[in-house]
Amino acid sequence: MAKKLEQIEADAQEILIAAELIRLGARMQLLEAEVVLSRDRLMKLYKQVRGVSPPKGMLPFSTDWFMSWQPNVHSTLFANFWQQVAETDHRRRLITAYQLYLDTVDAVQIEPVLSITRAWTLLRFLNAELLQLTPCSQCGGHFVTHAYEPAKTFVCGLCHMPSRAGAGQENRKHRLAAAQRSLPVKKNRRRVASAVTG
Amino acid sequence: MPAPDFAEEIRELNLNFLILAQRMAHDNVAAAAVKLGVAEEDLRWLQTLSPAKLVRLAQGAMLVPQFRFDGALLKQLAGDVGRDEAAAQLHALILAQAKPRKSPIVGDDDGEKT
């Protein structure tokens, strides 16, 4: 009996985490990899939270996206937050770091470019040592680069801005970012978060 | 007319900060630690304080919260604007993340740091 109760509690925990990830825009692949719930339950949950079926198809698998100027700045910001968040559950760590990233770009009135699924992919790339954080030789900030970037000569994209950096930002605004913004969930999200941690 | 000593303002600012820190810590300690630049252990300790203790902590005409960054970074955060204002701001924010956070200040009851 006691075991069953534990099981239920663990399930509830997973559901809360999954719901929060979905609200932040996570794709099914992320959920399936990180949450201990069956695919069916995740699909159902996704529909309940978002009101639509989860998008199909593969996730982009390329480290190049993180190297272009604007995504690099955003992923660097996220990676730095992630490093700072001390949280034992790595899903909570992802959620908290991503939340910090969203809050920050929100505060300086920039559209988020990095989706939570991309953020998660970034962490996997960092883990697999395809990418790394390299300190810029000029400003000292830690930036996302390819693995084995020679640190001595590395200059970050913000110290040495490419001439067209940031141009055409309006057109490139991420569709996902817009979708996230339209979801009136900010208050809810917090309540859910505090219900778990508190 | 007596010169202002700003004691009341400082007290209010202290109290505002302490209450905000308590609320943020209650919401999510890990996020609050990053945003406030305060060690998690200290936030946990702050959470246990009663309102009466917060008020006492806020008194004394001395500011409790402090600058967490060095001068160069503060200047950059204040708007060392280059070609692109948004980029300059993000740059400063990324550099802010690279700074080490304060280690815990509040020790255990036996005086040792946790």
Side-chain angles (χ1 to χ4, degrees):
Chain A
M1 196 65 201
K3 188 135 198 209
K4 203 158 186 202
L5 185 65
E6 266 170 37
Q7 183 61 45
I8 292 170
E9 278 175 345
D11 261 19
Q13 180 93 310
E14 295 298 310
I15 291 172
L16 280 175
I17 287 177
E20 210 162 335
L21 286 169
I22 294 168
R23 274 196 205 100
L24 289 170
R27 298 260 314 253
M28 280 300 285
Q29 286 92 331
L30 194 172
L31 298 170
E32 280 179 75
E34 298 292 339
V35 184
V36 193
L37 288 175
S38 72
R39 201 187 140 79
D40 282 357
R41 290 183 77 182
L42 285 173
M43 293 269 263
K44 243 186 231 162
L45 195 62
Y46 193 103
K47 269 185 216 165
Q48 275 170 351
V49 175
R50 290 243 133 173
V52 291
S53 298
K56 295 194 181 75
M58 308 248 286
L59 292 185
F61 186 85
S62 162
T63 53
D64 290 341
W65 187 83
F66 298 101
M67 292 304 125
S68 52
W69 187 81
Q70 199 194 24
N72 185 259
V73 173
H74 282 248
S75 30
T76 293
L77 192 61
F78 166 79
N80 276 286
F81 277 133
W82 184 80
Q83 280 200 319
Q84 284 209 63
V85 172
E87 188 92 67
T88 41
D89 184 326
H90 65 283
R91 287 124 4 138
R92 295 239 143 264
R93 195 173 173 193
L94 170 67
I95 291 169
T96 302
Y98 190 69
Q99 191 67 64
L100 282 167
Y101 160 73
L102 283 186
D103 287 354
T104 304
V105 289
D106 212 46
V108 295
Q109 294 172 352
I110 301 172
E111 289 292 328
V113 169
L114 187 76
S115 73
I116 192 166
T117 309
R118 289 261 196 208
W120 173 73
T121 318
L122 170 67
L123 295 180
R124 304 230 308 177
F125 284 152
L126 287 170
N127 224 351
E129 292 179 24
L130 291 167
L131 297 175
Q132 68 179 24
L133 291 179
T134 308
C136 168
S137 58
Q138 285 188 15
C139 70
H142 293 238
F143 286 78
V144 173
T145 62
H146 284 300
Y148 313 116
E149 174 81 37
K152 254 187 195 160
T153 51
F154 171 66
V155 179
C156 72
L158 282 163
C159 284
H160 187 83
M161 264 167 71
S163 55
R164 277 196 34 85
Q169 256 175 31
E170 293 304 305
N171 316 332
R172 271 193 277 129
K173 268 184 195 167
H174 227 251
R175 265 168 289 150
L176 193 128
Q180 266 172 4
R181 225 134 264 268
S182 64
L183 281 171
V185 290
K186 205 161 187 189
K187 283 272 141 26
N188 264 330
R189 202 158 66 206
R190 291 200 173 195
R191 211 163 297 136
V192 171
S194 61
V196 172
T197 51
Chain B
M1 204 175 102
D5 61 359
F6 303 112
E8 185 60 24
E9 286 87 342
I10 290 175
R11 198 185 68 86
E12 229 164 81
L13 188 60
N14 281 339
L15 205 53
N16 267 337
F17 169 75
L18 292 169
I19 292 170
L20 176 70
Q22 265 197 346
R23 273 178 48 203
M24 286 172 69
H26 183 73
D27 192 49
N28 185 342
V29 182
V34 176
K35 279 186 184 168
L36 294 169
V38 177
E40 261 188 68
E41 290 89 337
D42 292 344
L43 284 177
R44 293 227 172 78
W45 169 76
L46 203 59
Q47 268 187 290
T48 63
L49 292 189
S50 64
K53 280 198 171 172
L54 283 193
V55 169
R56 217 176 311 157
L57 186 54
Q59 272 164 354
M62 275 197 258
L63 203 63
V64 173
Q66 267 200 330
F67 284 130
R68 59 192 281 203
F69 303 127
D70 60 19
L73 185 53
L74 286 176
K75 274 179 205 155
Q76 214 171 342
L77 281 166
D80 182 15
V81 181
R83 202 172 70 226
D84 183 345
E85 197 180 332
Q89 221 167 357
L90 279 179
H91 198 182
L93 285 167
I94 288 170
L95 293 183
Q97 297 311 316
K99 299 286 167 203
R101 222 184 313 151
K102 271 216 163 97
S103 48
I105 300 163
V106 181
D108 278 340
D109 285 341
D110 57 5
E112 275 185 39
K113 297 229 164 170
T114 42

